[in-house]
Amino acid sequence: MISAIIKLRKSTPVSYNSSDSKKRERYKGTIVEAFSRNYNGKVPKFRKGIELYGQVYFFTSAGTDLDADNISKPVWDALIGTIYEDDKQIVQRTSTVIYTKKHDLIQINGDSDTSAELLQILTGNNVKCIYVECGYFKETMIEIEKEDLYED
């Protein structure tokens, strides 16, 4: 197994800073339920101690005031005990908010089914989609280009 993936249509992430505890709990339930549904009740689980990467993308056509830093923590907290034992296993995290009216998404890399489905979702007029992916971390995922670090 390479990764565990879900796509939540018509959903807006709940911020880590949300003071509405009932809303946070409903959101966590929605995430766990989506993983269960996507994997027909047989959600893949990564072994304890395995290092993982995690990505959360929120695509929206309406814009948002959500801070990208705060949208991934509730997702990873929700999945404790579902796809891994401890969210500390996620050693590389990416969290992104993409305003689809501003950013033209012509190419999405990934398996063809996931890419095709995402492109279909993102071409609509009222886009709200959360994409979550978690998989095995590899050192080759870290790429730093020296010329970008130093300006002449």
Side-chain angles (χ1 to χ4, degrees), residues 106-118:
I106 297 170
Q107 180 180 349
I108 296 177
N109 296 326
D111 71 65
S112 58
D113 291 341
T114 299
S115 298
E117 185 179 352
L118 266 177

Side-chain angles (χ1 to χ4, degrees), residues 15-74:
S15 173
Y16 178 69
N17 293 330
S18 173
S19 60
D20 188 338
S21 60
K22 289 182 182 178
K23 187 176 182 180
R24 281 195 320 263
E25 288 306 310
R26 280 193 309 270
Y27 182 60
K28 286 181 179 183
T30 299
I31 292 166
V32 172
E33 180 183 303
F35 267 95
S36 182
R37 191 174 48 249
N38 192 51
Y39 292 95
N40 297 317
K42 298 177 183 177
V43 180
K45 191 164 185 178
F46 299 100
R47 288 191 330 266
K48 187 175 182 176
I50 298 293
E51 291 184 324
L52 304 170
Y53 75 90
Q55 300 177 340
V56 176
Y57 294 99
F58 174 48
F59 300 95
T60 177
S61 60
T64 184
D65 62 350
L66 287 173
D67 188 346
D69 289 343
N70 294 325
I71 65 171
S72 71
K73 183 69 172 147

Side-chain angles (χ1 to χ4, degrees), residues 13 27 54-58 68 71-73 75-76 93-97 130-133:
Y27 182 60
Q55 300 177 340
V56 176
Y57 294 99
F58 174 48
I71 65 171
S72 71
K73 183 69 172 147
V75 171
W76 305 129
R93 297 179 186 204
T94 302
S95 180
T96 308
V97 176
I130 303 167
Y131 173 87
V132 178
E133 178 178 324

